[in-house]
């Protein structure tokens, strides 16, 4: 049994994290963990090839669409590929 959690839901309703932790048996976890940040090396952005974009669209497209996301337009620059949520 799994649960489906969207990033937008977690950031707008932090109590969802408690539900997730309870689902995996980690009741009573320390919320301070979320306050800590790990600093590290930042890699430069990677450009995806047209072939990689097609693979991503083919693999993730159906579930992304079910979740209300639309991908970048075909032919758009692949420098930044933000998904847009319809909701």
């Amino acid at each position: 049994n799994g649960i489906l959690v969207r990033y937008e839901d977690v950031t707008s309703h932090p109590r969802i994290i408690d539900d997730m932790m309870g689902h995996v048996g980690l009741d009573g976890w320390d919320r301070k963990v979320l306050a800590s940040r790990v600093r590290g090396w930042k890699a430069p952005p990677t450009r995806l090839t047209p072939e990689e974009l097609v693979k991503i669209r083919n693999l993730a497209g159906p579930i992304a669409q079910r979740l209300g996301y639309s991908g970048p337009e075909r032919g758009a620059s692949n420098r930044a590929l933000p998904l847009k949520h319809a909701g």
Side-chain angles (χ1 to χ4, degrees), residues 53-70:
L53 290 172
V54 169
K55 285 180 185 178
I56 291 169
R57 282 190 190 103
N58 289 340
L59 291 171
I63 188 68
Q65 202 168 31
R66 275 188 33 216
L67 295 173
Y69 292 98
S70 65

Side-chain angles (χ1 to χ4, degrees), residues 7-82:
Y7 174 78
E8 294 85 0
D9 296 335
V10 171
T11 57
S12 62
H13 306 289
R15 300 299 274 165
I16 289 176
I17 296 172
D18 293 331
D19 295 339
M20 290 172 22
M21 294 303 207
H23 183 78
V24 297
L26 295 175
D27 294 315
W29 68 288
D30 188 355
R31 295 182 124 248
K32 292 178 195 168
V33 170
L34 294 179
S36 65
R37 289 180 15 171
V38 176
R39 295 181 191 263
W41 180 71
K42 185 176 179 181
T46 302
R47 289 183 183 257
L48 299 173
T49 66
E51 294 80 16
E52 290 170 325
L53 290 172
V54 169
K55 285 180 185 178
I56 291 169
R57 282 190 190 103
N58 289 340
L59 291 171
I63 188 68
Q65 202 168 31
R66 275 188 33 216
L67 295 173
Y69 292 98
S70 65
E73 298 300 320
R74 293 191 187 279
S77 165
N78 68 355
R79 185 163 191 213
L81 297 171

